[in-house]
Amino acid sequence: MQSLKRIVVAPVVAVCMATTSCTLIPSSGPSAIKIASEAKAVDAPYILINVTQSVAAILESAGERPLSVAFGSARRGSSSRIGVGDVVTVSIWEASSDGLFASGTGRQGGTQIPEQPVSEKGTISVPYAGVIQAANRTPDEVKAAIENALKTMAIEPQVLVNVVKNISNTVTVTGEVASSGRIPLTLGGDKLLDVIATAGGPRVESHQLAVQITRGSRTETIPMERLISDPRENIYVQPGDVITLIRQPRSFTVFGAATANASVQFDESQLYLNQALAKVGGLNDERADAKGVFIYRSEPVELVRRIVPSAKPMRPDGTVNVIYQVDLKDPSGFFLLKSFKVSNRDLIYIANSSLAEVRKFSTLVSTTATPVVQGVAVMSNLNDLGQ
């Protein structure tokens, strides 16, 4: 019977020894120590940044770049200049009914030249006046040019130039608006919200939208709520701008030793880390390592270099994989929660404490060994009865 006990108990000992390896202990992710140690490697796939008030301030200022800085806030000098593709009409009157443009009605001569688009060369054609340069001129300047060309042939000619289809002085509004299309600009200048309103306004609630502005080769995107609440963002648009309203629900994901692991959508234009953690019930008191609150994010290398000057791009788009660490064992860490902004698609990971790992190890060993030990005891009792 003693040999049987040795045969049965031996596997239990082997299992207990095997479970001393951390890789066999169930875990929701890496420990805080593991994350910190791998960040020191020469070829580390991420940069670990301990969040301080100065780091939080840098990150907050990086997210507050107004469109007036990106594109400028100046109003366009004039939106009345004629451009290529614009459709114009020209009306001509003379002081006598016997002039070039006589109508045959016995009244002062006059006629209207049919609508015509401004050619690719920027010109229009006027009978007797010939080819007239129209592009990059105001209607008054084109009027003066036609009158000057006719003054030796017509009798005191008077000209009226009218733009009936304004193609060059427009912006394109598309996306989640009631009516997509080209919006002609007014002489006084139009701002972003003006042209969005002219297009019928957003089709969904503003907190679900981002506004993308493309001007030339440059594109900037801001939340719709920020455009509404910050007057600096409501800049003047320029001819040729493309304004797109994009439906972009924002969310973050929480894993690890939180009260709940979940993907959470949020409507706030500015969501801070304390609010994000509150949405999932905070840290799990029995499991969480308060020093190990990590935020995974990809950041532009220019921004990371303001914190870590030696940072280099890690992805083809020039971004860097960054893990931000917040230490809630430090009483001031809770102030950091109130100043650290959560971005769209952030991943928040809360590491397990070392005590939680020990507890899991003890539970695993106990769960594995107890049935075997109980079996040995039963067999021993049976053996005693047989004797």
Side-chain angles (χ1 to χ4, degrees), residues 342-375:
V342 174
S343 298
N344 185 33
R345 301 178 66 185
D346 271 358
L347 188 154
I348 302 172
Y349 170 68
I350 303 168
N352 284 334
S353 68
S354 55
L355 182 60
E357 298 294 341
V358 171
R359 186 184 299 117
K360 284 195 292 183
F361 172 76
S362 301
T363 302
L364 180 62
V365 172
S366 175
T367 303
T368 305
T370 298
V372 180
V373 173
Q374 288 177 344

PDB file of all heavy atoms in Angstrom, residues 342-375:
ATOM      1  N   VAL A 342      -8.683  60.608 -22.186  1.00  0.00           N
ATOM      2  CA  VAL A 342      -8.822  59.341 -22.889  1.00  0.00           C
ATOM      3  C   VAL A 342      -9.147  59.648 -24.343  1.00  0.00           C
ATOM      4  O   VAL A 342     -10.007  60.475 -24.641  1.00  0.00           O
ATOM      5  CB  VAL A 342      -9.928  58.476 -22.261  1.00  0.00           C
ATOM      6  CG1 VAL A 342     -10.184  57.223 -23.087  1.00  0.00           C
ATOM      7  CG2 VAL A 342      -9.550  58.111 -20.825  1.00  0.00           C
ATOM      8  N   SER A 343      -8.449  58.985 -25.261  1.00  0.00           N
ATOM      9  CA  SER A 343      -8.677  59.179 -26.691  1.00  0.00           C
ATOM     10  C   SER A 343      -9.494  58.033 -27.262  1.00  0.00           C
ATOM     11  O   SER A 343      -9.618  56.956 -26.648  1.00  0.00           O
ATOM     12  CB  SER A 343      -7.335  59.268 -27.438  1.00  0.00           C
ATOM     13  OG  SER A 343      -6.571  60.364 -26.996  1.00  0.00           O
ATOM     14  N   ASN A 344     -10.036  58.276 -28.445  1.00  0.00           N
ATOM     15  CA  ASN A 344     -10.802  57.242 -29.124  1.00  0.00           C
ATOM     16  C   ASN A 344      -9.924  56.020 -29.373  1.00  0.00           C
ATOM     17  O   ASN A 344      -8.768  56.134 -29.779  1.00  0.00           O
ATOM     18  CB  ASN A 344     -11.323  57.794 -30.456  1.00  0.00           C
ATOM     19  CG  ASN A 344     -12.229  56.811 -31.176  1.00  0.00           C
ATOM     20  OD1 ASN A 344     -12.959  56.048 -30.556  1.00  0.00           O
ATOM     21  ND2 ASN A 344     -12.191  56.824 -32.497  1.00  0.00           N
ATOM     22  N   ARG A 345     -10.460  54.834 -29.098  1.00  0.00           N
ATOM     23  CA  ARG A 345      -9.807  53.537 -29.313  1.00  0.00           C
ATOM     24  C   ARG A 345      -8.660  53.286 -28.347  1.00  0.00           C
ATOM     25  O   ARG A 345      -7.833  52.404 -28.576  1.00  0.00           O
ATOM     26  CB  ARG A 345      -9.323  53.405 -30.763  1.00  0.00           C
ATOM     27  CG  ARG A 345     -10.431  53.528 -31.790  1.00  0.00           C
ATOM     28  CD  ARG A 345      -9.916  53.452 -33.209  1.00  0.00           C
ATOM     29  NE  ARG A 345      -9.373  52.119 -33.486  1.00  0.00           N
ATOM     30  CZ  ARG A 345      -8.762  51.796 -34.625  1.00  0.00           C
ATOM     31  NH1 ARG A 345      -8.604  52.701 -35.554  1.00  0.00           N
ATOM     32  NH2 ARG A 345      -8.305  50.588 -34.809  1.00  0.00           N
ATOM     33  N   ASP A 346      -8.581  54.008 -27.243  1.00  0.00           N
ATOM     34  CA  ASP A 346      -7.600  53.696 -26.203  1.00  0.00           C
ATOM     35  C   ASP A 346      -7.881  52.316 -25.610  1.00  0.00           C
ATOM     36  O   ASP A 346      -9.046  51.896 -25.492  1.00  0.00           O
ATOM     37  CB  ASP A 346      -7.648  54.741 -25.081  1.00  0.00           C
ATOM     38  CG  ASP A 346      -6.713  55.908 -25.344  1.00  0.00           C
ATOM     39  OD1 ASP A 346      -6.010  55.894 -26.366  1.00  0.00           O
ATOM     40  OD2 ASP A 346      -6.697  56.830 -24.509  1.00  0.00           O
ATOM     41  N   LEU A 347      -6.802  51.627 -25.208  1.00  0.00           N
ATOM     42  CA  LEU A 347      -6.933  50.372 -24.473  1.00  0.00           C
ATOM     43  C   LEU A 347      -6.360  50.603 -23.078  1.00  0.00           C
ATOM     44  O   LEU A 347      -5.193  50.968 -22.929  1.00  0.00           O
ATOM     45  CB  LEU A 347      -6.185  49.250 -25.177  1.00  0.00           C
ATOM     46  CG  LEU A 347      -6.392  47.826 -24.627  1.00  0.00           C
ATOM     47  CD1 LEU A 347      -6.161  46.796 -25.729  1.00  0.00           C
ATOM     48  CD2 LEU A 347      -5.481  47.508 -23.449  1.00  0.00           C
ATOM     49  N   ILE A 348      -7.200  50.410 -22.073  1.00  0.00           N
ATOM     50  CA  ILE A 348      -6.790  50.584 -20.671  1.00  0.00           C
ATOM     51  C   ILE A 348      -6.627  49.191 -20.055  1.00  0.00           C
ATOM     52  O   ILE A 348      -7.557  48.379 -20.080  1.00  0.00           O
ATOM     53  CB  ILE A 348      -7.831  51.398 -19.887  1.00  0.00           C
ATOM     54  CG1 ILE A 348      -8.025  52.771 -20.541  1.00  0.00           C
ATOM     55  CG2 ILE A 348      -7.411  51.558 -18.426  1.00  0.00           C
ATOM     56  CD1 ILE A 348      -9.174  53.569 -19.947  1.00  0.00           C
ATOM     57  N   TYR A 349      -5.428  48.934 -19.536  1.00  0.00           N
ATOM     58  CA  TYR A 349      -5.149  47.638 -18.937  1.00  0.00           C
ATOM     59  C   TYR A 349      -4.723  47.829 -17.489  1.00  0.00           C
ATOM     60  O   TYR A 349      -3.871  48.665 -17.182  1.00  0.00           O
ATOM     61  CB  TYR A 349      -4.038  46.913 -19.705  1.00  0.00           C
ATOM     62  CG  TYR A 349      -3.524  45.681 -19.001  1.00  0.00           C
ATOM     63  CD1 TYR A 349      -4.332  44.558 -18.844  1.00  0.00           C
ATOM     64  CD2 TYR A 349      -2.228  45.643 -18.476  1.00  0.00           C
ATOM     65  CE1 TYR A 349      -3.864  43.436 -18.189  1.00  0.00           C
ATOM     66  CE2 TYR A 349      -1.755  44.523 -17.829  1.00  0.00           C
ATOM     67  CZ  TYR A 349      -2.576  43.410 -17.684  1.00  0.00           C
ATOM     68  OH  TYR A 349      -2.120  42.301 -17.014  1.00  0.00           O
ATOM     69  N   ILE A 350      -5.335  47.047 -16.602  1.00  0.00           N
ATOM     70  CA  ILE A 350      -5.016  47.104 -15.172  1.00  0.00           C
ATOM     71  C   ILE A 350      -4.378  45.770 -14.778  1.00  0.00           C
ATOM     72  O   ILE A 350      -5.006  44.711 -14.885  1.00  0.00           O
ATOM     73  CB  ILE A 350      -6.271  47.372 -14.330  1.00  0.00           C
ATOM     74  CG1 ILE A 350      -6.925  48.678 -14.788  1.00  0.00           C
ATOM     75  CG2 ILE A 350      -5.930  47.442 -12.845  1.00  0.00           C
ATOM     76  CD1 ILE A 350      -8.314  48.907 -14.232  1.00  0.00           C
ATOM     77  N   ALA A 351      -3.128  45.825 -14.361  1.00  0.00           N
ATOM     78  CA  ALA A 351      -2.379  44.609 -14.047  1.00  0.00           C
ATOM     79  C   ALA A 351      -2.837  44.004 -12.718  1.00  0.00           C
ATOM     80  O   ALA A 351      -3.335  44.712 -11.830  1.00  0.00           O
ATOM     81  CB  ALA A 351      -0.880  44.917 -13.991  1.00  0.00           C
ATOM     82  N   ASN A 352      -2.640  42.695 -12.602  1.00  0.00           N
ATOM     83  CA  ASN A 352      -2.925  42.010 -11.342  1.00  0.00           C
ATOM     84  C   ASN A 352      -1.809  42.279 -10.343  1.00  0.00           C
ATOM     85  O   ASN A 352      -0.631  42.404 -10.711  1.00  0.00           O
ATOM     86  CB  ASN A 352      -3.033  40.501 -11.558  1.00  0.00           C
ATOM     87  CG  ASN A 352      -4.347  40.108 -12.207  1.00  0.00           C
ATOM     88  OD1 ASN A 352      -5.339  40.818 -12.080  1.00  0.00           O
ATOM     89  ND2 ASN A 352      -4.345  38.989 -12.903  1.00  0.00           N
ATOM     90  N   SER A 353      -2.165  42.336  -9.087  1.00  0.00           N
ATOM     91  CA  SER A 353      -1.156  42.489  -8.041  1.00  0.00           C
ATOM     92  C   SER A 353      -0.439  41.164  -7.827  1.00  0.00           C
ATOM     93  O   SER A 353      -0.946  40.095  -8.172  1.00  0.00           O
ATOM     94  CB  SER A 353      -1.814  42.934  -6.728  1.00  0.00           C
ATOM     95  OG  SER A 353      -2.630  41.900  -6.211  1.00  0.00           O
ATOM     96  N   SER A 354       0.768  41.219  -7.245  1.00  0.00           N
ATOM     97  CA  SER A 354       1.529  39.994  -6.984  1.00  0.00           C
ATOM     98  C   SER A 354       0.804  39.113  -5.978  1.00  0.00           C
ATOM     99  O   SER A 354       0.856  37.879  -6.066  1.00  0.00           O
ATOM    100  CB  SER A 354       2.923  40.350  -6.465  1.00  0.00           C
ATOM    101  OG  SER A 354       2.829  41.190  -5.315  1.00  0.00           O
ATOM    102  N   LEU A 355       0.101  39.702  -5.019  1.00  0.00           N
ATOM    103  CA  LEU A 355      -0.648  38.920  -4.042  1.00  0.00           C
ATOM    104  C   LEU A 355      -1.767  38.143  -4.723  1.00  0.00           C
ATOM    105  O   LEU A 355      -2.036  36.988  -4.374  1.00  0.00           O
ATOM    106  CB  LEU A 355      -1.228  39.838  -2.958  1.00  0.00           C
ATOM    107  CG  LEU A 355      -2.015  39.146  -1.832  1.00  0.00           C
ATOM    108  CD1 LEU A 355      -1.119  38.152  -1.097  1.00  0.00           C
ATOM    109  CD2 LEU A 355      -2.579  40.166  -0.853  1.00  0.00           C
ATOM    110  N   ALA A 356      -2.387  38.752  -5.715  1.00  0.00           N
ATOM    111  CA  ALA A 356      -3.446  38.046  -6.448  1.00  0.00           C
ATOM    112  C   ALA A 356      -2.868  36.860  -7.195  1.00  0.00           C
ATOM    113  O   ALA A 356      -3.503  35.800  -7.287  1.00  0.00           O
ATOM    114  CB  ALA A 356      -4.133  39.005  -7.413  1.00  0.00           C
ATOM    115  N   GLU A 357      -1.651  37.005  -7.736  1.00  0.00           N
ATOM    116  CA  GLU A 357      -1.015  35.893  -8.435  1.00  0.00           C
ATOM    117  C   GLU A 357      -0.698  34.758  -7.469  1.00  0.00           C
ATOM    118  O   GLU A 357      -0.869  33.590  -7.800  1.00  0.00           O
ATOM    119  CB  GLU A 357       0.267  36.382  -9.130  1.00  0.00           C
ATOM    120  CG  GLU A 357       0.051  37.442 -10.191  1.00  0.00           C
ATOM    121  CD  GLU A 357      -0.727  36.935 -11.376  1.00  0.00           C
ATOM    122  OE1 GLU A 357      -0.799  35.699 -11.568  1.00  0.00           O
ATOM    123  OE2 GLU A 357      -1.291  37.756 -12.117  1.00  0.00           O
ATOM    124  N   VAL A 358      -0.208  35.101  -6.250  1.00  0.00           N
ATOM    125  CA  VAL A 358       0.075  34.073  -5.242  1.00  0.00           C
ATOM    126  C   VAL A 358      -1.202  33.349  -4.847  1.00  0.00           C
ATOM    127  O   VAL A 358      -1.236  32.115  -4.710  1.00  0.00           O
ATOM    128  CB  VAL A 358       0.748  34.711  -4.001  1.00  0.00           C
ATOM    129  CG1 VAL A 358       0.840  33.697  -2.865  1.00  0.00           C
ATOM    130  CG2 VAL A 358       2.124  35.240  -4.354  1.00  0.00           C
ATOM    131  N   ARG A 359      -2.286  34.136  -4.700  1.00  0.00           N
ATOM    132  CA  ARG A 359      -3.562  33.536  -4.324  1.00  0.00           C
ATOM    133  C   ARG A 359      -4.042  32.567  -5.414  1.00  0.00           C
ATOM    134  O   ARG A 359      -4.539  31.478  -5.120  1.00  0.00           O
ATOM    135  CB  ARG A 359      -4.594  34.638  -4.092  1.00  0.00           C
ATOM    136  CG  ARG A 359      -5.928  34.115  -3.541  1.00  0.00           C
ATOM    137  CD  ARG A 359      -6.956  35.232  -3.416  1.00  0.00           C
ATOM    138  NE  ARG A 359      -6.485  36.255  -2.504  1.00  0.00           N
ATOM    139  CZ  ARG A 359      -6.239  37.510  -2.862  1.00  0.00           C
ATOM    140  NH1 ARG A 359      -6.401  37.885  -4.121  1.00  0.00           N
ATOM    141  NH2 ARG A 359      -5.828  38.394  -1.974  1.00  0.00           N
ATOM    142  N   LYS A 360      -3.876  32.952  -6.655  1.00  0.00           N
ATOM    143  CA  LYS A 360      -4.288  32.075  -7.750  1.00  0.00           C
ATOM    144  C   LYS A 360      -3.421  30.814  -7.791  1.00  0.00           C
ATOM    145  O   LYS A 360      -3.914  29.714  -8.046  1.00  0.00           O
ATOM    146  CB  LYS A 360      -4.197  32.821  -9.084  1.00  0.00           C
ATOM    147  CG  LYS A 360      -5.332  33.813  -9.294  1.00  0.00           C
ATOM    148  CD  LYS A 360      -5.428  34.277 -10.743  1.00  0.00           C
ATOM    149  CE  LYS A 360      -4.236  35.111 -11.117  1.00  0.00           C
ATOM    150  NZ  LYS A 360      -4.377  35.631 -12.517  1.00  0.00           N
ATOM    151  N   PHE A 361      -2.119  30.991  -7.513  1.00  0.00           N
ATOM    152  CA  PHE A 361      -1.225  29.831  -7.494  1.00  0.00           C
ATOM    153  C   PHE A 361      -1.643  28.851  -6.399  1.00  0.00           C
ATOM    154  O   PHE A 361      -1.720  27.642  -6.625  1.00  0.00           O
ATOM    155  CB  PHE A 361       0.213  30.292  -7.275  1.00  0.00           C
ATOM    156  CG  PHE A 361       1.181  29.158  -7.061  1.00  0.00           C
ATOM    157  CD1 PHE A 361       1.601  28.388  -8.125  1.00  0.00           C
ATOM    158  CD2 PHE A 361       1.658  28.864  -5.781  1.00  0.00           C
ATOM    159  CE1 PHE A 361       2.491  27.345  -7.929  1.00  0.00           C
ATOM    160  CE2 PHE A 361       2.538  27.824  -5.588  1.00  0.00           C
ATOM    161  CZ  PHE A 361       2.960  27.054  -6.660  1.00  0.00           C
ATOM    162  N   SER A 362      -1.938  29.393  -5.229  1.00  0.00           N
ATOM    163  CA  SER A 362      -2.341  28.534  -4.109  1.00  0.00           C
ATOM    164  C   SER A 362      -3.635  27.803  -4.425  1.00  0.00           C
ATOM    165  O   SER A 362      -3.788  26.607  -4.137  1.00  0.00           O
ATOM    166  CB  SER A 362      -2.510  29.373  -2.839  1.00  0.00           C
ATOM    167  OG  SER A 362      -1.308  30.031  -2.510  1.00  0.00           O
ATOM    168  N   THR A 363      -4.563  28.520  -5.065  1.00  0.00           N
ATOM    169  CA  THR A 363      -5.848  27.912  -5.420  1.00  0.00           C
ATOM    170  C   THR A 363      -5.657  26.821  -6.459  1.00  0.00           C
ATOM    171  O   THR A 363      -6.275  25.755  -6.385  1.00  0.00           O
ATOM    172  CB  THR A 363      -6.808  28.992  -5.956  1.00  0.00           C
ATOM    173  OG1 THR A 363      -6.981  29.996  -4.972  1.00  0.00           O
ATOM    174  CG2 THR A 363      -8.157  28.389  -6.321  1.00  0.00           C
ATOM    175  N   LEU A 364      -4.772  27.073  -7.421  1.00  0.00           N
ATOM    176  CA  LEU A 364      -4.517  26.086  -8.469  1.00  0.00           C
ATOM    177  C   LEU A 364      -3.915  24.818  -7.891  1.00  0.00           C
ATOM    178  O   LEU A 364      -4.324  23.702  -8.228  1.00  0.00           O
ATOM    179  CB  LEU A 364      -3.591  26.698  -9.526  1.00  0.00           C
ATOM    180  CG  LEU A 364      -3.210  25.788 -10.704  1.00  0.00           C
ATOM    181  CD1 LEU A 364      -4.455  25.391 -11.488  1.00  0.00           C
ATOM    182  CD2 LEU A 364      -2.209  26.490 -11.607  1.00  0.00           C
ATOM    183  N   VAL A 365      -2.927  24.967  -7.010  1.00  0.00           N
ATOM    184  CA  VAL A 365      -2.292  23.801  -6.392  1.00  0.00           C
ATOM    185  C   VAL A 365      -3.303  23.033  -5.544  1.00  0.00           C
ATOM    186  O   VAL A 365      -3.388  21.808  -5.597  1.00  0.00           O
ATOM    187  CB  VAL A 365      -1.082  24.230  -5.542  1.00  0.00           C
ATOM    188  CG1 VAL A 365      -0.550  23.053  -4.735  1.00  0.00           C
ATOM    189  CG2 VAL A 365       0.006  24.802  -6.441  1.00  0.00           C
ATOM    190  N   SER A 366      -4.092  23.796  -4.777  1.00  0.00           N
ATOM    191  CA  SER A 366      -5.078  23.150  -3.906  1.00  0.00           C
ATOM    192  C   SER A 366      -6.108  22.389  -4.729  1.00  0.00           C
ATOM    193  O   SER A 366      -6.478  21.269  -4.411  1.00  0.00           O
ATOM    194  CB  SER A 366      -5.767  24.209  -3.039  1.00  0.00           C
ATOM    195  OG  SER A 366      -6.793  23.635  -2.267  1.00  0.00           O
ATOM    196  N   THR A 367      -6.562  23.014  -5.830  1.00  0.00           N
ATOM    197  CA  THR A 367      -7.573  22.377  -6.678  1.00  0.00           C
ATOM    198  C   THR A 367      -7.031  21.114  -7.333  1.00  0.00           C
ATOM    199  O   THR A 367      -7.737  20.120  -7.500  1.00  0.00           O
ATOM    200  CB  THR A 367      -8.035  23.363  -7.767  1.00  0.00           C
ATOM    201  OG1 THR A 367      -8.535  24.543  -7.148  1.00  0.00           O
ATOM    202  CG2 THR A 367      -9.121  22.758  -8.634  1.00  0.00           C
ATOM    203  N   THR A 368      -5.753  21.146  -7.708  1.00  0.00           N
ATOM    204  CA  THR A 368      -5.143  19.994  -8.372  1.00  0.00           C
ATOM    205  C   THR A 368      -4.847  18.860  -7.394  1.00  0.00           C
ATOM    206  O   THR A 368      -5.069  17.682  -7.694  1.00  0.00           O
ATOM    207  CB  THR A 368      -3.834  20.421  -9.066  1.00  0.00           C
ATOM    208  OG1 THR A 368      -4.111  21.495  -9.950  1.00  0.00           O
ATOM    209  CG2 THR A 368      -3.226  19.263  -9.839  1.00  0.00           C
ATOM    210  N   ALA A 369      -4.356  19.200  -6.209  1.00  0.00           N
ATOM    211  CA  ALA A 369      -3.876  18.170  -5.277  1.00  0.00           C
ATOM    212  C   ALA A 369      -4.976  17.556  -4.433  1.00  0.00           C
ATOM    213  O   ALA A 369      -4.916  16.372  -4.103  1.00  0.00           O
ATOM    214  CB  ALA A 369      -2.815  18.780  -4.367  1.00  0.00           C
ATOM    215  N   THR A 370      -5.987  18.329  -4.071  1.00  0.00           N
ATOM    216  CA  THR A 370      -6.997  17.854  -3.120  1.00  0.00           C
ATOM    217  C   THR A 370      -7.691  16.572  -3.567  1.00  0.00           C
ATOM    218  O   THR A 370      -7.796  15.614  -2.782  1.00  0.00           O
ATOM    219  CB  THR A 370      -8.036  18.959  -2.849  1.00  0.00           C
ATOM    220  OG1 THR A 370      -7.363  20.064  -2.264  1.00  0.00           O
ATOM    221  CG2 THR A 370      -9.139  18.466  -1.935  1.00  0.00           C
ATOM    222  N   PRO A 371      -8.201  16.459  -4.823  1.00  0.00           N
ATOM    223  CA  PRO A 371      -8.870  15.197  -5.203  1.00  0.00           C
ATOM    224  C   PRO A 371      -7.949  13.991  -5.104  1.00  0.00           C
ATOM    225  O   PRO A 371      -8.384  12.901  -4.718  1.00  0.00           O
ATOM    226  CB  PRO A 371      -9.281  15.464  -6.660  1.00  0.00           C
ATOM    227  CG  PRO A 371      -9.338  16.955  -6.788  1.00  0.00           C
ATOM    228  CD  PRO A 371      -8.243  17.455  -5.906  1.00  0.00           C
ATOM    229  N   VAL A 372      -6.679  14.159  -5.447  1.00  0.00           N
ATOM    230  CA  VAL A 372      -5.749  13.035  -5.408  1.00  0.00           C
ATOM    231  C   VAL A 372      -5.478  12.612  -3.962  1.00  0.00           C
ATOM    232  O   VAL A 372      -5.459  11.432  -3.623  1.00  0.00           O
ATOM    233  CB  VAL A 372      -4.439  13.400  -6.126  1.00  0.00           C
ATOM    234  CG1 VAL A 372      -3.469  12.221  -6.081  1.00  0.00           C
ATOM    235  CG2 VAL A 372      -4.733  13.793  -7.569  1.00  0.00           C
ATOM    236  N   VAL A 373      -5.259  13.619  -3.112  1.00  0.00           N
ATOM    237  CA  VAL A 373      -4.992  13.311  -1.702  1.00  0.00           C
ATOM    238  C   VAL A 373      -6.196  12.637  -1.063  1.00  0.00           C
ATOM    239  O   VAL A 373      -6.066  11.700  -0.276  1.00  0.00           O
ATOM    240  CB  VAL A 373      -4.614  14.602  -0.956  1.00  0.00           C
ATOM    241  CG1 VAL A 373      -4.499  14.333   0.539  1.00  0.00           C
ATOM    242  CG2 VAL A 373      -3.313  15.161  -1.501  1.00  0.00           C
ATOM    243  N   GLN A 374      -7.377  13.118  -1.441  1.00  0.00           N
ATOM    244  CA  GLN A 374      -8.588  12.490  -0.898  1.00  0.00           C
ATOM    245  C   GLN A 374      -8.694  11.032  -1.360  1.00  0.00           C
ATOM    246  O   GLN A 374      -9.106  10.153  -0.604  1.00  0.00           O
ATOM    247  CB  GLN A 374      -9.821  13.287  -1.344  1.00  0.00           C
ATOM    248  CG  GLN A 374      -9.957  14.639  -0.655  1.00  0.00           C
ATOM    249  CD  GLN A 374     -11.145  15.433  -1.186  1.00  0.00           C
ATOM    250  OE1 GLN A 374     -11.676  15.112  -2.245  1.00  0.00           O
ATOM    251  NE2 GLN A 374     -11.542  16.459  -0.443  1.00  0.00           N
ATOM    252  N   GLY A 375      -8.309  10.798  -2.629  1.00  0.00           N
ATOM    253  CA  GLY A 375      -8.348   9.415  -3.138  1.00  0.00           C
ATOM    254  C   GLY A 375      -7.381   8.516  -2.385  1.00  0.00           C
ATOM    255  O   GLY A 375      -7.680   7.354  -2.080  1.00  0.00           O
TER     256      GLY A 375
END
